[in-house]
Structure formats: structure tokens, C-alpha cells
Amino acid sequence: MFKRPLYWRRLFSSSLLYGTVFLVCFLWVLPTVGLMVSSFRPPNDIVTSGWWTVFRNPLKIDQYTLENYRRVISSYGLGIAFLNSLTVAIPSTVIPITVAAFAAYAFAWMKFPGRKVFFTLVIAMIVMPLQMALIPVLRLYIQWKLNGTFLGIWLVHTGFGIPLAVYLLYSCISQLPRDLVEAAAMDGASHFQILTSLILPLSMPTIASFAVFQFLWIWNDLLVSLVFLGTSQSVATLTVALSELVGTRGQDWHLLTAGAFVATAVPLMVFFSLQRYFVRGILAGSVK
């Protein structure tokens, strides 16, 4: 007698939950689908009709074209900018992780004078606004002739990324059982061997989560790339090239959508390939 209303109440709650999740996902994915469809449409079709009209007859071949991508990649330099973005993003992700891993291990398991002071100073750098450091660093780069070079922007992204990386890795490494580290030390393992053979494999979810954050931030960065690399085609990143394309070809939607989808494809692949580590890494150290 009382179980039937409870059953329908649970069914209604589950349906409402799933319906809400589906609606949010649909609204979130819809602009990306429109961007992708528009990037394959001829210019005249984009101007005269909405992108959703292709679903009236989705198998009609003449309503799709690859010419937009060919023009964007070859004629407007987005192919070179794509390679430049990879050249900037990959080292700027690997270097902070490498440096932060050594620093986090030292702060967590090594005793040396001023450890707490240095750790506090490193973590305090997280709250420093990025814009405050641009002009002083740029002046130093001009003196040292590092502006407009990939080495210069690697160092900038490394400096801005290390505090957060140290914080995340320290939160994970410091929660590992002390018995593991002590047993490895008693077996004669050095600090370097303990870090590379024991600590890093156990910290892989946290490392992957920071790699996602760092890579996506660098890939989508415009301000730092514009300040320290400039707009020269030989070093301009994809975001800088897209901003130039918006300024010069702002009325050509077919080119803008193709360029935007080229810039979106890599972050999506990185996120989906590392998503199984993402949540585990964010929660690392929060629960013993």
C-alpha cells in the first residue's frame, strides 16, 4: 500500500535528474555542434541559411566542403600557428611538472632549514595576478633578448605554473604512507630513486590532472603569447593567428568557424584522453 507511491516518487526523481542532466549536456554541446557543421559548409550556405538546415537532408554531399579548412590552414597560416602552439604548450606543460615533482617531494619528505618558509613563499605565488608580472618580465626579456623566442615563453609559463603544480603534487605526495618511503630508504634507495620509482607512479592521477589544466590554459592563452612572442608568423600561436583572422576576415564566418574548430580539436582530445585521471587527481589528498 505504501510502496507504490514511494516507487513512483523515486521514478519521478530519477527522471527529473536524468532529464536535467540531458538538457544541460544538450545546451552545452549544441554550440560546438553548430561550429563543427558550419565549418564544413560553403560560404553562400552559411550566409543564406542556418547550420541546422543540413539535418533536413544530411546525406546531401554538395552541402559540405573541405575548402574552408584548406584555406585556413594554408592561405592564412593556421597550419604553422598550430605547430607553434604545440611547440609552446608541450614543453610548457612538461617542464613545470618536472620541476614541481622534485620540489613537492623535497617539501614533503626532506628536512632542510627554511622548508616551511620556502613552501609558504611558493604557495603564495598562486594568488599573484599574472598581469602584474608581465611588464617587469618583458623588460628583462628585452635586455636578455629572450622576447619573441620559444625559450622565453617556456620560462614564463613554467614560472607561472610551478606554484599550482607544487601545491597539487605536495597535497598528494604528503598523504602517501610514510612506511613506503622509509622501507625504500632502508633498502638503500636514494631520494631520486624513491621519487622516480615510487612517488611518481603513485602520483600519476594528480600529475595528469595538472597536465590537463596547464595544457588547456597554455593552448587557449592569448595575452602571454601576444606579449612575449608577438604576431610574427614564424612564432605566432594559434590564438594569436585567430585574433588576427577575426580582425582581417571578421565577416567570413566559414573561415572563422573552421579556424575555431581547429583550435578546439586538440584540447578536446587531451581532456577526453586524460579524463579518467582528472577527478582522481583533483581529489588527491582530500581524503585519507
Side-chain angles (χ1 to χ4, degrees), residues 23-32:
L23 180 61
V24 171
C25 293
F26 176 78
L27 294 177
W28 187 267
V29 174
L30 186 63
T32 305

Side-chain angles (χ1 to χ4, degrees), residues 80-150:
I80 299 176
F82 183 87
L83 298 178
N84 291 338
S85 291
L86 289 177
T87 305
V88 171
I90 294 176
S92 298
T93 302
V94 175
I95 296 174
I97 292 175
T98 305
V99 176
F102 285 95
Y105 174 82
F107 287 133
W109 297 108
M110 298 176 64
K111 295 182 179 180
F112 54 89
R115 180 179 63 170
K116 294 184 179 180
V117 175
F118 287 123
F119 181 73
T120 303
L121 291 176
V122 171
I123 300 305
M125 298 299 293
I126 298 178
V127 301
M128 187 187 73
L130 169 67
Q131 293 78 7
M132 291 183 59
L134 292 181
I135 301 304
V137 174
L138 182 60
R139 294 180 63 180
L140 291 176
Y141 271 31
I142 293 175
Q143 295 178 4
W144 298 340
K145 297 181 180 180
L146 287 175
N147 59 309
T149 64
F150 290 124

Side-chain angles (χ1 to χ4, degrees), residues 45-281:
D45 292 350
I46 293 179
V47 175
T48 57
S49 62
W51 61 268
W52 53 88
T53 57
V54 300
F55 295 106
R56 297 174 181 172
N57 189 5
L59 299 180
K60 188 179 180 181
I61 303 299
D62 58 355
Q63 62 181 341
Y64 305 110
T65 180
L66 294 176
E67 180 66 17
N68 302 334
Y69 286 93
R70 189 196 65 79
R71 291 183 59 187
V72 162
I73 293 175
S74 60
S75 302
Y76 295 97
L78 260 68
I80 299 176
F82 183 87
L83 298 178
N84 291 338
S85 291
L86 289 177
T87 305
V88 171
I90 294 176
S92 298
T93 302
V94 175
I95 296 174
I97 292 175
T98 305
V99 176
F102 285 95
Y105 174 82
F107 287 133
W109 297 108
M110 298 176 64
K111 295 182 179 180
F112 54 89
R115 180 179 63 170
K116 294 184 179 180
V117 175
F118 287 123
F119 181 73
T120 303
L121 291 176
V122 171
I123 300 305
M125 298 299 293
I126 298 178
V127 301
M128 187 187 73
L130 169 67
Q131 293 78 7
M132 291 183 59
L134 292 181
I135 301 304
V137 174
L138 182 60
R139 294 180 63 180
L140 291 176
Y141 271 31
I142 293 175
Q143 295 178 4
W144 298 340
K145 297 181 180 180
L146 287 175
N147 59 309
T149 64
F150 290 124
L151 176 60
I153 199 167
W154 292 343
L155 295 176
V156 169
H157 284 306
T158 298
F160 290 131
I162 281 179
L164 179 60
V166 171
Y167 175 75
L168 291 177
L169 288 176
Y170 175 82
S171 300
C172 175
I173 293 174
S174 62
Q175 298 297 324
L176 296 177
R178 180 176 294 273
D179 296 341
L180 291 176
V181 179
E182 292 179 350
M186 292 179 62
D187 289 339
S190 63
H191 287 297
F192 181 78
Q193 291 174 330
I194 295 174
L195 174 64
T196 56
S197 301
L198 182 63
I199 301 298
L200 290 184
L202 294 175
S203 305
M204 193 54 63
T206 303
I207 294 174
S209 64
F210 174 76
V212 172
F213 275 125
Q214 182 76 353
F215 185 89
L216 295 184
W217 181 75
I218 295 172
W219 184 269
N220 294 321
D221 169 70
L222 174 61
L223 179 62
V224 176
S225 298
L226 194 60
V227 171
F228 292 100
L229 282 181
T231 58
S232 174
Q233 188 175 5
S234 60
V235 294
T237 59
L238 197 55
T239 52
V240 176
L242 283 175
S243 66
E244 293 289 322
L245 188 64
V246 170
T248 58
R249 312 292 296 182
Q251 73 281 3
D252 296 333
W253 293 2
H254 57 292
L255 299 180
L256 297 181
T257 54
F261 199 76
V262 169
T264 307
V266 170
L268 288 176
M269 288 189 294
V270 170
F271 179 78
F272 286 122
S273 62
L274 297 177
Q275 64 174 338
R276 63 193 181 104
Y277 295 109
F278 188 72
V279 176
R280 291 166 56 190

